Amino acid sequence: MEEPTTNHYKEGQEGEERDPESNNTLQSPLLLKRNRTLSTNHLAIIGTKVSHIESLDYEINENDLFKHDWRSRSREQVLQYVFMKWILALIVGLLTGVIATLINLAIENIAGFKLLAVAKFIKEERNFEGFLYFTGANLALTAFASILVVCFAPTAAGPGIPEIKAYLNGVDTPNMYGASTLIVKIFGSIGAVSAGLDLGKEGPLVHIGACLASLLGQGGPDNYRVKWRWMRYFNNDRDRRDLITCGAASGVCAAFRSPIGGVLFALEEVATWWRSALLWRTFFSTAVVVVVLRAFMEYCGSGNCGLFGQGGLIMFDVSDVTVTYHAMDLLPVVIIGVIGGVLGSLYNYLLHKVLRVYNLINEKGRGHKLLLSLAVSIFTSVCLYCLPFFAHCSPCDPSLPDSACPTNGRTGNFKQFNCPAGYYNDLASLLHTTNDDAVRNIFSTSTPTEFHPVSLLVFFGVYCILGLITFGIAVPSGLFLPIILMGSAYGRLLGMAMGPYTRIDQGLFSVLGAASLMAGSMRMTVSLCVIFLELTNNLLLLPITMLVLLISKTVGDAFNPSIYEMILHLKGLPFLDANPEPWMRTLTVAELADAKSPVITLCGVEKVSRIVEVLQNTTHNGFPVVDQGTVPPIGLPDGASELHGIILRAHLVAVLRKKWFLKEKRRTEDWEVRKVFTSIDLAERGFKIDEVLVTKDEMEMYVDLHPLTNTTPFTVLESLSVAKAMVLFRSVGLRHMLIVPKYQLTGVSPVVGILTRQDLLAHNILNAFPDIKSKERGKKGK
C-alpha cells in the first residue's frame, strides 16, 4: 500500500514505532531525527463502560456540493432554515420546562407522603416501625433508580455535565443523548432524589435538556427518525452542538429557575464555541422555560398538585432582608471565601479517590453496581433517621404562632419529631425533609437561635460523608445540591461565631457559604453569582457574593482542578483545556508530526482499490488530497504538488456505497456529482467500510475526489508552537489540522503531517517526549 514518495499517517495506533531514517531530510527541514512515538488512546469510560470515542466535525466542510447548495438556496429557504432553528429552541424550552415540573411534582409527592408517614410513626412512638418503613421505602426507590440505570442506560448515571462539556468541546460521547438515556434519567432522578440520597436533580436536568435538544435536532431516536426534508438540514454536528447548548442552558434554568444564570452557565462552564446568534437562541429557550415553570407554579399554588407547594422549584427568597455591612464585615466574608476554596479543593481530592474505588467495583458487573447503590441507601437512611434522636429539644420562641412551632406537617423549620409539645428538634428539620426544604430552612433569615451549633456541625459532617459516598453510584445524581447543603452549614456556623462582630444575618452567611463551596469545587464565578442572585432575589448581596466567589476560586485553583475536569480525566475523555501548558510554547507542531507515523495522502483522482485499502487499514477520519504534477501558476517550476484539501472518511464510504466510479482516470464535471450526491447526503454518518461490497472489476476503476474535498482546511506552518496550535484547535472547533512545510521545494509533499485532538493532549505529548517530561517532574519536585 505504501509508496516510498508518499507520506502515510496512522491515527490511534498505540505503541507503533517508526523508522527514524524513513523521512527525507528535505521533507522536514526543521526536524531533528529522534526515535519518538506519539501514541494516542481513543478509549474512554462512558457510562462505566470502556467505549471507543471519536471527535466531532464542527468545521464547515466547504466542498463543491456545499458551495452549490448555499448558492442555489433562495432567500425564502434561508429564512425558513433560520426560522426552524428558533422553532427547535422554542420546543426545547417547552419540553424542558414541562419535564422539570413533572419531576418536581413526583419528587415532592413521593418524598412528602413518605416523610408524613414516618412522622406519624414517631408521633405514636413506634420508632422501630418508622425506621423499617423509612429504610424500606428508600431502599425500594433506590433499587428502582439503580435497576433502570444498570439494566437499560448506564450512561444515565451521574450528572452528565462532564460529558456535555466534552461533547461541546468536540468529543463524541457515545450513547449519551439517546431516548433510553433520557427516559432513564427522568425516572431515575425521581427515584434517587425521593429516596433521600445526598444528591440533586440539577445536574440530571442539564443532561435531560441536552438529550431533548439532541433528539429534536436529529429528528428523534435512531429507529424512528422523522425524515422531513427540513429536519435533515440539522443532521450535522454543528447544528446539533448549538441545540445541545440551548438544552444545557434550559436544564440549568429549570433546576434553579434562573434564566440568565442558565445562559451564563452554558457560556462559562460547558460551551467551548460561542457566538451572538447562539446567545439569542439560548436566552430564548431559557425564557420559555421560566414561563412554563411560572405557569405551573401559579396552577399548583392553589393546592391542585398534592403535596407540591413551595418546594421543588428552588427559590430561596431573602428579598425582605435588608443587607447592611461595613468595612469590618468584609473580614468574615474573606474568611468564608478562603474556607470555601480549601474545603472545595479537599472535597474534589477525596471525591476523586472515591470515584477511582467505585470504578474498580463497577468493573465487576451489574450485581456489584446494584449492591453498592443499595448499601449507600441503607447507610443514608440510618444516618438520616437515627441522628435526630440524639439532638436536644429546643423550646419554641413564644413570639412565633402556635401553627409555626412545632410542626409535624408538610413544611416548616421547627419539626417536633420526638420532642414534647412546645419544643422542636432542629436537626430533624434538616434531616427529615427533602433536600430543597433543608436548604430553605438553613437559608432562613431572622432566626439567630433556631439551630444549635452542634446540630449544624453534625449536619455538615454527615452530608460531607454522604456526598462523598453517594456520587458515583449507579443512579442519576447531581453535585449542586449536596455542595449547597454542606456550604450553607459551615456558612451558618461561621455566622454564629461572628455574630457579635458583624451585622450580616446568619441566613445570608449560609448563602455565602454555599456559594463559596460551589466556587471552590466547581470553579464557577460569573454564572454562579447570577444564579445565587436569582435564587435569593436580593441584589444587595451582589458585592459580597462576587468577592466570595473570586476568593474561593482563586484558592481552589492553587490546589487542584475543578471537579468536572477531574471527572473528565478519570473517564479518559480527550478534553482540550483553555490554557495550554507553558512548556508547549517551546515545542513546534513539526516536532509533533515527526513523532507520529507519516501521513497518508490520496490523489485527486484515486483508484478504488487504493481507497478501499486505506479505509480498511486505518481508523482515522480525514485524508489530505494531493495532486502531483499539476500545472503551476506563473513563476513556479513545473511538476509542483498541490494540496487540494482534505476528504472525510464518511464521504469516501459514501462514494463506495453509491458506486460513483469512473472507468478512466479523469476529472468530472459539476453536474455529474450533483446528479448523485447532495450536501444532505454527505451529512449522514454511521456507515462503515465493512458494510460496503466492491467487486473485483470495480477495484480497477477510479474516483474523482475533487468535488467532495474540503478545499479550505485549516493549515499551519511547521514552525507554529504547540501552545498556539492548541488554542486555535479549541477556539475554532477543529478535528484536523494540516501542517505544511515552511519551505516549498520541488518534489516535496505539500503536507508535512496532520494533528488531531489526541495529539494535542498534554499527557500524550509528555509520553512521546521524555526529556520534557523529566524537566516538568523536576520543576514539580522543586
Side-chain angles (χ1 to χ4, degrees):
M1 182 177 74
E2 301 184 1
E3 298 176 3
T5 58
T6 306
N7 290 331
H8 297 274
Y9 166 66
K10 281 202 174 187
E11 174 187 350
Q13 301 269 340
E14 285 213 24
E16 180 176 321
E17 299 291 336
R18 55 173 300 193
D19 184 3
E21 303 298 328
S22 62
N23 281 355
N24 190 323
T25 55
L26 293 177
Q27 295 179 351
S28 307
L30 299 179
L31 306 183
L32 296 175
K33 298 302 169 189
R34 299 183 178 95
N35 188 13
R36 293 171 176 160
T37 301
L38 185 63
S39 61
T40 57
N41 187 1
H42 291 260
L43 298 178
I45 302 175
I46 307 295
T48 68
K49 177 183 177 183
V50 177
S51 304
H52 182 82
I53 59 172
E54 293 185 1
S55 298
L56 295 164
D57 295 307
Y58 287 154
E59 182 186 355
I60 296 178
N61 193 52
E62 293 188 354
N63 52 28
D64 293 346
L65 283 174
F66 174 83
K67 296 174 183 177
H68 177 268
D69 179 63
W70 278 101
R71 283 196 302 264
S72 61
R73 285 189 187 183
S74 64
R75 180 178 177 83
E76 290 75 15
Q77 288 177 315
V78 174
L79 290 176
Q80 187 175 359
Y81 173 72
V82 175
F83 179 73
M84 280 298 301
K85 285 187 174 182
W86 286 95
I87 290 297
L88 289 176
L90 170 67
I91 298 174
V92 167
L94 284 173
L95 292 179
T96 305
V98 171
I99 291 176
T101 305
L102 295 178
I103 289 176
N104 280 285
L105 285 174
I107 291 173
E108 290 289 312
N109 280 281
I110 294 174
F113 282 114
K114 177 190 69 177
L115 292 172
L116 285 176
V118 172
K120 184 178 180 181
F121 279 115
I122 295 175
K123 187 177 181 179
E124 297 173 356
E125 297 184 357
R126 298 158 61 189
N127 297 334
F128 185 70
E129 295 178 32
F131 171 75
L132 293 179
Y133 177 85
F134 184 73
T135 305
N138 290 342
L139 199 63
L141 290 169
T142 304
F144 169 74
S146 186
I147 290 173
L148 284 178
V149 170
V150 169
C151 298
F152 299 101
T155 53
I161 294 179
E163 289 82 0
I164 297 174
K165 281 173 62 73
Y167 185 91
L168 297 181
N169 190 256
V171 181
D172 185 14
T173 46
N175 305 318
M176 282 301 299
Y177 307 104
S180 59
T181 302
L182 173 63
I183 295 172
V184 170
K185 202 80 174 185
I186 294 173
F187 289 98
S189 298
I190 294 173
V193 179
S194 301
L197 297 174
D198 185 18
L199 46 84
K201 56 187 177 296
E202 293 74 29
L205 279 175
V206 178
H207 192 187
I208 288 170
C211 288
L212 289 171
S214 177
L215 290 172
L216 286 172
Q218 65 184 15
D222 292 335
N223 298 331
Y224 304 99
R225 286 190 180 182
V226 176
K227 299 299 182 181
W228 185 36
R229 176 173 175 267
W230 281 102
M231 289 301 299
R232 296 183 66 190
Y233 279 111
F234 299 98
N235 190 21
N236 60 80
D237 294 337
R238 191 178 180 87
D239 286 325
R240 193 180 178 203
R241 171 189 63 185
D242 292 350
L243 272 175
I244 287 179
T245 304
C246 293
S250 300
V252 175
C253 176
F256 296 107
R257 215 180 80 192
S258 172
I260 301 176
V263 175
L264 293 176
F265 176 84
L267 171 62
E268 180 184 10
E269 186 63 20
V270 296
T272 301
W273 169 268
W274 201 262
R275 63 184 190 279
S276 59
L278 179 59
L279 174 67
W280 301 338
R281 280 195 294 273
T282 304
F283 183 68
F284 176 64
S285 294
T286 57
V288 173
V289 173
V290 169
V291 171
V292 173
L293 295 181
R294 174 56 64 183
F296 273 99
M297 291 182 69
E298 292 292 335
Y299 175 76
C300 294
S302 56
N304 297 319
C305 302
L307 296 181
F308 181 80
Q310 296 179 351
L313 305 177
I314 305 176
M315 186 65 179
F316 313 115
D317 195 347
V318 293
S319 58
D320 57 339
V321 180
T322 302
V323 182
T324 58
Y325 45 86
H326 301 284
M328 291 301 297
D329 295 327
L330 295 180
L331 178 61
V333 171
V334 172
I335 294 175
I336 285 183
V338 174
I339 294 176
V342 173
L343 290 181
S345 58
L346 178 61
Y347 181 79
N348 291 357
Y349 173 80
L350 295 176
L351 186 59
H352 183 262
K353 298 297 182 183
V354 173
L355 292 178
R356 292 177 67 91
V357 175
Y358 279 7
N359 281 343
L360 298 176
I361 297 175
N362 292 334
E363 287 175 358
K364 297 182 179 180
R366 295 180 176 181
H368 288 79
K369 298 179 189 178
L370 182 59
L371 288 175
L372 178 61
S373 302
L374 298 180
V376 171
S377 175
I378 294 174
F379 180 76
T380 302
S381 299
V382 170
C383 291
L384 297 184
Y385 187 87
C386 297
L387 287 176
F389 285 99
F390 298 96
H392 294 287
C393 294
S394 303
C396 291
D397 190 343
S399 62
L400 294 173
D402 295 338
S403 59
C405 181
T407 61
N408 288 312
R410 293 158 37 179
T411 59
N413 286 24
F414 307 96
K415 296 285 186 181
Q416 184 175 359
F417 198 65
N418 62 333
C419 297
Y423 289 80
Y424 71 95
N425 189 316
D426 60 343
L427 189 56
S429 66
L430 298 176
L431 297 181
H432 273 253
T433 185
T434 61
N435 288 341
D436 293 344
D437 284 336
V439 176
R440 187 172 292 103
N441 294 346
I442 204 169
F443 276 11
S444 59
T445 56
S446 302
T447 53
T449 60
E450 176 182 351
F451 298 102
H452 194 274
V454 176
S455 297
L456 288 174
L457 194 61
V458 171
F459 176 79
F460 173 72
V462 167
Y463 268 85
C464 283
I465 297 172
L466 295 180
L468 289 172
I469 67 173
T470 304
F471 188 80
I473 64 176
V475 295
S477 57
L479 279 170
F480 284 94
L481 209 57
I483 293 178
I484 289 176
L485 287 168
M486 289 184 286
S488 60
Y490 80 73
R492 194 163 187 114
L493 278 170
L494 186 60
M496 290 181 176
M498 301 295 296
Y501 311 102
T502 181
R503 299 184 182 183
I504 302 177
D505 191 273
Q506 291 182 13
L508 301 184
F509 268 104
S510 297
V511 176
L512 296 177
S516 69
L517 191 60
M518 288 190 71
S521 176
M522 299 180 179
R523 312 295 157 78
M524 296 187 297
T525 53
V526 180
S527 58
L528 198 58
C529 181
V530 174
I531 286 174
F532 269 89
L533 290 180
E534 291 180 300
L535 281 177
T536 56
N537 196 24
N538 197 326
L539 193 61
L540 296 175
L541 285 174
L542 178 61
I544 54 178
T545 304
M546 293 173 62
L547 181 62
V548 163
L549 294 175
L550 289 172
I551 294 174
S552 298
K553 183 184 184 303
T554 304
V555 173
D557 286 337
F559 293 98
N560 51 33
S562 71
I563 184 61
Y564 291 138
E565 291 180 19
M566 285 186 169
I567 295 174
L568 285 169
H569 179 73
L570 195 63
K571 287 179 173 288
L573 294 171
F575 185 84
L576 284 182
D577 295 320
N579 302 312
E581 299 290 339
W583 52 264
M584 290 183 176
R585 298 186 180 93
T586 62
L587 191 68
T588 65
V589 293
E591 291 175 291
L592 283 190
D594 185 44
K596 294 163 58 74
S597 299
V599 60
I600 293 178
T601 61
L602 298 174
C603 295
V605 181
E606 189 60 83
K607 206 170 185 179
V608 174
S609 59
R610 164 74 172 165
I611 296 175
V612 172
E613 194 171 13
V614 167
L615 293 178
Q616 288 180 342
N617 290 278
T618 62
T619 58
H620 42 292
N621 181 65
F623 306 90
V625 177
V626 176
D627 284 329
Q628 302 286 347
T630 58
V631 178
I634 298 175
L636 294 179
D638 293 336
S641 299
E642 175 194 0
L643 175 59
H644 188 72
I646 187 171
I647 189 166
L648 301 182
R649 167 181 286 268
H651 296 171
L652 292 174
V653 174
V655 167
L656 299 178
R657 287 181 60 246
K658 291 199 176 245
K659 309 287 185 181
W660 191 58
F661 304 145
L662 303 172
K663 293 183 178 180
E664 66 275 0
K665 190 175 182 179
R666 67 175 178 87
R667 294 192 63 161
T668 57
E669 302 292 336
D670 291 343
W671 63 269
E672 291 182 85
V673 65
R674 293 199 297 268
K675 187 177 179 181
V676 181
F677 294 98
T678 65
S679 60
I680 298 178
D681 293 331
L682 297 184
E684 295 292 337
R685 296 290 189 271
F687 298 104
K688 299 180 180 179
I689 182 61
D690 300 335
E691 303 171 359
V692 180
L693 297 177
V694 183
T695 64
K696 186 176 181 180
D697 293 336
E698 290 172 340
M699 287 285 193
E700 302 301 318
M701 301 177 75
Y702 295 90
V703 176
D704 182 16
L705 301 179
H706 293 96
L708 307 178
T709 301
N710 179 12
T711 57
T712 59
F714 281 84
T715 59
V716 296
L717 285 178
E718 56 185 348
S719 57
L720 185 78
S721 70
V722 174
K724 196 170 183 179
M726 181 177 170
V727 172
L728 177 64
F729 206 97
R730 173 187 165 96
S731 302
V732 184
L734 301 180
R735 184 167 184 175
H736 311 98
M737 178 182 288
L738 299 183
I739 305 171
V740 298
K742 189 174 183 179
Y743 303 102
Q744 300 291 339
L745 302 178
T746 305
V748 178
S749 174
V751 56
V752 172
I754 184 171
L755 293 182
T756 60
R757 170 179 300 273
Q758 281 80 5
D759 302 327
L760 294 171
L761 297 178
H763 62 272
N764 285 339
I765 300 175
L766 290 176
N767 290 333
F769 294 86
D771 50 343
I772 298 178
K773 190 173 185 179
S774 60
K775 289 180 181 179
E776 289 301 308
R777 285 180 175 175
K779 291 179 182 179
K780 291 181 179 179
K782 292 180 181 179

